Amino acid sequence: MTSTAPLSHQPVLLTEVLTALHLHPSGRYVDATFGRGGHAAALLAALGPEGRVLALDRDPAAARCAAERFGGDARFSFVRAAFGRLAEVVAERGWSGQVDGILLDLGVSSPQLDDPARGFSFNRDGPLDMRMDPTAGISAAEWLDRVDEVELGRVLAEYSEERFYRRVARAVVAARRQAPVATTQQLAAIVAATVPTRELGKHPATRTFQAIRIAVNDELGELRSVLPQAVRMLAPGGRLAVISFHSLEDRVVKRFMREQARGRELPLDLPVAGAPMGMTLRLIGRAARPGAAEIAANLRARSALLRVAERLA
């Protein structure tokens, strides 16, 4: 069984998140990516007896961790669900349009990365799974067995910007004709033998693993779905904080927040010519990154980027 030890994961940009959410002691907050509860614990510590935290995560190990860490705290509730169901879960609580802050931490948690059985990492051999919820959908191994070479190349190119996507796709398809690509180190070895150059400090399979994980979990689809839901669930003045870890995620978040903050321009012949309409968000500050001390303590935080926006009335 996967460990749910709470100290095995360090929440990223914790101080910045707490500041960004502009916490009120009696507020209602949603941690839509519970992970192992680091951010949720800090939220609860900052709230008073009337404050509430609702957490979501589709990983069954996260559900076990939530029960172990916070099962006795009446201010906390957990729903095992993908964050793409945010509006549905919040509505069931009767909180629609009344949430004071929503957090999305889009990273894979350290316990997920460090558990070989989850198949997220090539550092130790394990089954090629990569599902955020290992009880639903198809594993990365099953996906690789079914996908055709053209689609695999597209995924590698779009989801990880792998320069040698055609070579990697061709090599994977050739390898699976001999035997199923069923383990993490099998896949890593195929990529390492195919990619002719290496990025400093990165394993040559890093981009391939990222792309396949995104495809298997429909991560970008979930992200595009949850952002407008989050805006609808926020109360006026409520804040949305999103931590991304690669440029694809950040591009989606940045574009969405800017579009919602800019609104749309009306035709020039209307009485309010040029006035933006449909503005729902106000951008808060600049994107925040971890400082040197945090990166030194947690190297996995180095690529984190926090963007924050506030719901307008």
Side-chain angles (χ1 to χ4, degrees):
M1 180 181 292
T2 302
S3 171
T4 56
L7 297 180
S8 60
H9 178 67
Q10 300 178 54
V12 173
L13 290 166
L14 181 58
T15 300
E16 292 82 353
V17 165
L18 295 179
T19 300
L21 290 177
H22 195 53
L23 300 175
H24 309 294
S26 59
R28 295 172 172 177
Y29 297 89
V30 178
D31 180 352
T33 47
F34 177 80
R36 295 302 180 268
H39 287 112
L43 289 173
L44 287 167
L47 297 180
E50 301 303 316
R52 295 291 182 269
V53 173
L54 168 63
L56 286 72
D57 203 299
R58 53 177 157 175
D59 188 341
R64 293 193 294 271
C65 179
E68 292 168 7
R69 292 193 72 178
F70 307 116
D73 193 332
R75 301 173 302 160
F76 175 83
S77 57
F78 178 90
V79 176
R80 187 179 157 202
F83 60 63
R85 293 177 52 204
L86 175 70
E88 172 192 343
V89 173
V90 171
E92 288 173 353
R93 290 292 185 282
W95 289 8
S96 296
Q98 302 174 40
V99 177
D100 296 294
I102 296 173
L103 170 65
L104 293 165
D105 176 352
L106 304 176
V108 180
S109 71
S110 292
Q112 289 173 322
L113 287 169
D114 294 337
D115 184 355
R118 300 301 299 270
F120 286 108
S121 172
F122 38 73
N123 290 329
R124 287 184 289 171
D125 202 20
L128 195 59
D129 194 307
M130 295 195 193
R131 288 172 293 175
M132 297 294 184
D133 178 357
T135 68
I138 64 171
S139 69
E142 292 172 297
W143 185 83
L144 276 179
D145 191 51
R146 301 177 187 182
V147 69
D148 63 47
E149 184 177 325
V150 173
E151 175 64 8
L152 177 55
R154 183 195 68 80
V155 165
L156 295 173
E158 291 186 14
Y159 293 171
S160 68
E161 299 173 322
E162 170 59 68
R163 288 174 57 202
F164 304 101
Y165 65 92
R166 288 192 180 93
R167 296 187 192 187
V168 175
R170 191 180 308 124
V172 169
V173 170
R176 80 184 183 193
R177 293 194 188 105
Q178 306 302 315
V181 183
T183 72
T184 55
Q185 291 193 348
Q186 269 183 284
L187 178 58
I190 292 168
V191 179
T194 304
V195 174
T197 61
R198 286 163 170 74
E199 297 171 86
L200 185 63
K202 277 190 178 182
H203 189 284
T206 300
R207 289 180 179 272
T208 294
F209 270 67
Q210 173 184 300
I212 294 172
R213 191 202 76 223
I214 290 172
V216 166
N217 294 288
D218 188 26
E219 292 178 26
L220 294 179
E222 288 278 314
L223 179 58
R224 292 187 182 99
S225 171
V226 74
L227 292 172
Q229 294 181 49
V231 173
R232 295 197 307 272
M233 295 303 103
L234 286 171
R239 291 190 174 182
L240 170 63
V242 185
I243 302 173
S244 59
F245 287 83
H246 55 76
S247 59
L248 292 174
E249 293 173 336
D250 182 56
R251 231 172 276 151
V252 172
V253 175
K254 180 180 179 179
R255 183 179 298 120
F256 175 81
M257 287 186 173
R258 285 187 172 180
E259 287 174 352
Q260 297 302 307
R262 186 171 58 241
R264 59 185 175 85
E265 296 293 328
L266 290 177
L268 294 175
D269 57 352
L270 290 185
V272 286
M277 299 294 288
M279 296 168 60
T280 61
L281 294 176
R282 177 174 71 92
L283 303 182
I284 303 296
R286 296 183 176 182
R289 296 181 182 274
E294 179 171 4
I295 293 173
N298 179 16
L299 189 58
R300 287 172 178 165
R302 67 188 182 277
S303 57
L305 187 68
L306 171 67
R307 295 189 185 275
V308 186
E310 182 177 283
R311 179 75 161 94
L312 297 173

